[in-house]
Amino acid sequence: MLTKKWAIGGVALGALLSAGGAAFASDSAAIDARLRALEAEIAKLRKEAHEAKAQAAAASSRATNVANAAHLKADPHLPPPPPPVFVSFKNGIFVETEDKAYSFKVGGRIMVDGGGITQPLNGFSSQVAFRQIRLEVEGKAAKIWFYKLQYDFAGTGQVTGNNQTLGGIRDFFFGIQHPAMSIPWAKDPMFIMVGSQFEPFSLESTSSSKFRPLIERAMAVEGIAPNRHLGISLGAYGDNWTGRIGVFSTSMEDASISPGQNTPAVWGVPKAAGWVSTGGAQYVDVAGRLTYAPIRDEHNLLHVGVSGRYHSPNDATGLSDDRVLRLGNRLRSEATVLGQGLLGTPDLSCGSYANGFLFGGVPFSSAAGHCTKYVTSYGFELAGAYGPFDMQAEYIATDYQRDMGKILQARAAGVFAPGGSSAHFGGYYFYGQYWLTGEERAQAYSTSDKAGANFFEPKIKNPLSAGGYGAFSLIGRYSSVNLNSGPYSGSGLANMLAFSNPTYAPGGTFAYQSILNAGIAGGRQENVTTGLNWYPDKGVHLQLNWTHVLHVSAPLNDYNIIGSPMPGRQGFYFNGAHPDLFEARAQIYW
């Protein structure tokens, strides 16, 4: 009896499993059928959308032809009316023709900075000023030409000796990007541009001030990397790589746009003329930058890059080529508006001094001591993003090859010319940023900008204008720069100088002058900065930065430096000071 019951139960269980399997198979078949139906429906919708787009284009063309025909009928001698244009007032004024062959955009920015220093050494205890007031126009013509014109009405007033005549010119270039210049792996054709443009060097140096997560660039970048210069460059880019190289010279942001003068020409002057022409050759740069992003999607990014530059000073001196030949003289402790300048080398070209005679025994002054023959700079960059966290770091260095004979000649003429036949300076920074509101910097990365791969405005998830709170981020940075080269540049320099010459008199003891001339003491500084960013809406950016100086040993710019600072410069040899700089920025751009 029990066996019979088990048999009946087994049959019932088998029937149940068979029915379940049949039901499962039926459901699976139904799901497959539904997916196929949905795919067919999507394909149909795509086809209808494509046909609708084609019909709209045809209708637009017919409307244009009808308008042209009516226009010719009214007066056949008049030219046809212009094609319709697209106009947008969203974040600026943008106008583009229907065929996208011509366009222009009117934009600009206003930046107001302010803050204070708790321990001012050579700067304002507090200050507020317009950091930038810029207007710009950019666009394209005939599909292949592009241009950009940008002028800054605020300039950089805190930079000593900044050229005031043309100092407001920033981006001011035009170029061509022709289909005939297409190359494999490139997203678009190669491009050539001419005019005032960023030299291809460094990630942070070529980034727009509108989108930098900290108010000012790191000291190593600001002090060593080149800025905008007049020149010509060739570039290309793909989905995850960029490359650009160019030849450059004068910058509208130089302290002076003229090289040294009164230098007798060394060639090209007929001896029979009986006179010697004078003039001066401006400096020349050759620079290039390559970047590659092996990881790039909406949420993750890994970016690497390398830069290089060769700089020939020619007849330039620290009066004109001050960014290179008076290295670091523009640094303002990463808070430019507060004006605290602690670093800077002496003129590494040896400046100007009398060293010869013209025909008839008339003395002339060499406008350039020519103590620096050439300069090579190089940089390495790294950036990454993982969701709401991102980081960035760079190492930048520069090497000077100098003429020892010219240096000794300058010293004999009474010029302060420290250092030897070579010098090395460098620095680095790294920072990390976390988006409290969930934004992701990987989405702001682009390779198609003419300046090279970089980061732009983040995509704000909940703008203030849409009822949200905007985008918030916290950031921290460590930065360091060392403008000392050679012996006797450490913290004991002041003690050695005092021991060798207690009176600090110019032209003092031999030991005193030997120490002064042994190495280049441009100073060294280390900063740590914390910051808060708020992007309430597209085109609006508010920032707060607190910078603490971890270490500073200020430069030695004159052999009578101790107790007698140079005009307009920090002058004294400081060591052990730890200023705190508080800075805020409010900016709007369109």
Side-chain angles (χ1 to χ4, degrees):
M1 186 69 178
L2 182 60
T3 303
K4 185 177 180 180
K5 288 181 180 180
W6 276 107
I8 294 171
V11 171
L13 179 60
L16 182 62
L17 290 174
S18 176
F24 179 79
S26 176
D27 290 344
S28 177
I31 291 172
D32 290 341
R34 180 57 179 164
L35 286 175
R36 285 193 293 271
L38 287 174
E39 290 174 353
E41 186 177 352
I42 291 172
K44 181 181 177 182
L45 290 174
R46 286 177 176 173
K47 182 179 179 181
E48 291 175 352
H50 180 74
E51 292 174 350
K53 185 176 180 181
Q55 290 173 2
S60 176
S61 178
R62 286 194 298 272
T64 301
N65 292 335
V66 170
N68 290 343
H71 183 78
L72 291 173
K73 184 177 180 180
D75 189 346
H77 299 292
L78 291 177
V85 297
F86 171 78
V87 180
S88 173
F89 294 96
K90 185 178 180 181
N91 203 20
I93 302 175
F94 178 74
V95 179
E96 186 176 50
T97 59
E98 183 185 28
D99 60 1
K100 298 185 178 181
Y102 295 84
S103 70
F104 73 87
K105 180 182 183 296
V106 179
R109 71 189 74 170
I110 300 174
M111 294 182 182
V112 182
D113 290 4
I117 310 174
T118 60
Q119 185 185 349
L121 299 178
N122 178 48
F124 304 97
S125 58
S126 64
Q127 181 62 287
V128 62
F130 285 106
R131 183 67 170 87
Q132 295 179 7
I133 305 175
R134 296 186 183 180
L135 286 177
E136 60 188 37
V137 178
E138 60 181 317
K140 59 185 178 182
K143 291 186 178 180
I144 62 173
W145 299 95
F146 60 89
Y147 61 90
K148 185 175 183 180
L149 314 175
Q150 184 186 76
Y151 194 88
D152 189 355
F153 295 89
T156 308
Q158 297 296 340
V159 175
T160 303
N162 189 43
N163 166 41
Q164 298 298 316
T165 305
L166 300 173
I169 295 177
R170 295 297 182 260
D171 290 329
F172 216 116
F173 57 79
F174 69 92
I176 185 172
Q177 193 166 17
H178 196 280
M181 300 165 63
S182 298
I183 59 173
W185 312 295
K187 184 177 181 180
D188 290 309
M190 295 171 59
F191 62 87
I192 298 174
M193 58 183 182
V194 180
S196 178
Q197 57 190 277
F198 277 113
E199 288 195 17
F201 192 99
S202 169
L203 173 62
E204 184 159 292
S205 177
T206 54
S207 66
S208 172
S209 56
K210 297 185 295 185
F211 312 126
R212 287 200 301 264
L214 287 153
I215 293 178
E216 299 290 354
R217 298 183 179 101
M219 293 180 292
V221 176
E222 190 67 34
I224 299 175
N227 209 293
R228 295 177 180 88
H229 288 77
L230 289 174
I232 180 171
S233 65
L234 173 69
Y237 52 87
D239 290 327
N240 61 351
W241 64 272
T242 69
R244 188 161 69 97
I245 189 170
V247 180
F248 308 90
S249 187
T250 304
S251 170
M252 298 300 101
E253 297 176 75
D254 286 341
S256 170
I257 61 173
S258 299
Q261 298 296 317
N262 300 323
T263 301
V266 296
W267 57 274
V269 180
K271 295 181 179 180
W275 51 272
V276 178
S277 68
T278 60
Q282 182 64 303
Y283 62 83
V284 175
D285 276 359
V286 178
R289 177 178 177 233
L290 290 171
T291 72
Y292 177 60
I295 300 174
R296 183 189 179 189
D297 57 41
E298 287 288 302
H299 311 290
N300 305 286
L301 174 72
L302 177 62
H303 160 102
V304 293
V306 60
S307 304
R309 176 179 63 153
Y310 174 86
H311 180 91
S312 176
N314 296 327
D315 294 319
T317 70
L319 294 177
S320 58
D321 190 13
D322 65 303
R323 286 183 178 273
V324 175
L325 297 178
R326 291 176 57 222
L327 190 67
N329 78 97
R330 298 197 185 198
L331 293 178
R332 295 295 181 266
S333 300
E334 297 176 337
T336 299
V337 72
L338 301 181
Q340 181 175 263
L342 302 177
L343 304 179
T345 69
D347 190 339
L348 298 177
S349 74
C350 298
S352 304
Y353 58 93
N355 68 344
F357 296 90
L358 297 177
F359 292 106
V362 180
F364 69 85
S365 294
S366 173
H370 299 105
C371 289
T372 295
K373 295 187 288 186
Y374 62 88
V375 182
T376 54
S377 306
Y378 48 93
F380 304 95
E381 57 195 62
L382 173 69
Y386 182 74
F389 173 78
D390 57 83
M391 58 76 63
Q392 185 172 308
E394 290 189 77
Y395 172 78
I396 297 176
T398 184
D399 294 318
Y400 287 67
Q401 297 302 318
R402 309 177 75 211
D403 188 326
M404 199 62 211
K406 297 289 186 180
I407 294 172
L408 294 175
Q409 184 177 348
R411 291 176 185 172
V415 176
F416 179 48
S421 59
S422 64
H424 172 83
F425 310 101
Y428 60 93
Y429 75 89
F430 58 86
Y431 67 69
Q433 179 177 219
Y434 182 76
W435 294 88
L436 302 174
T437 46
E439 279 70 22
E440 298 174 275
R441 203 180 187 207
Q443 299 174 3
Y445 182 78
S446 174
T447 59
S448 58
D449 187 75
K450 296 297 188 295
N454 224 303
F455 295 94
F456 296 87
E457 188 174 35
K459 295 181 180 179
I460 304 172
K461 290 188 172 183
N462 298 295
L464 191 66
S465 58
Y469 295 98
F472 285 88
S473 76
L474 292 174
I475 188 169
R477 177 177 71 189
Y478 173 85
S479 66
S480 174
V481 66
N482 188 351
L483 303 183
N484 296 327
S485 181
Y488 308 139
S489 59
S491 59
L493 176 59
N495 292 330
M496 287 189 292
L497 290 172
F499 178 77
S500 62
N501 186 0
T503 63
Y504 310 131
T509 65
F510 175 78
Y512 181 81
Q513 292 197 3
S514 297
I515 293 172
L516 284 171
N517 290 324
I520 299 170
R524 182 170 71 90
Q525 189 169 343
E526 300 173 44
N527 291 352
V528 61
T529 301
T530 58
L532 172 67
N533 290 284
W534 181 34
Y535 297 83
D537 272 294
K538 183 177 178 64
V540 183
H541 187 188
L542 306 177
Q543 296 173 276
L544 290 173
N545 284 183
W546 167 32
T547 298
H548 177 70
V549 178
L550 295 174
H551 171 84
V552 60
S553 57
L556 197 66
N557 283 340
D558 191 350
Y559 54 70
N560 194 26
I561 198 72
I562 298 180
S564 178
M566 295 178 67
R569 289 295 302 160
Q570 179 276 131
F572 295 96
Y573 188 87
F574 282 103
N575 185 52
H578 304 283
D580 287 286
L581 301 93
F582 299 89
E583 188 177 18
R585 168 173 290 177
Q587 67 169 310
I588 182 171
Y589 46 89
W590 60 94

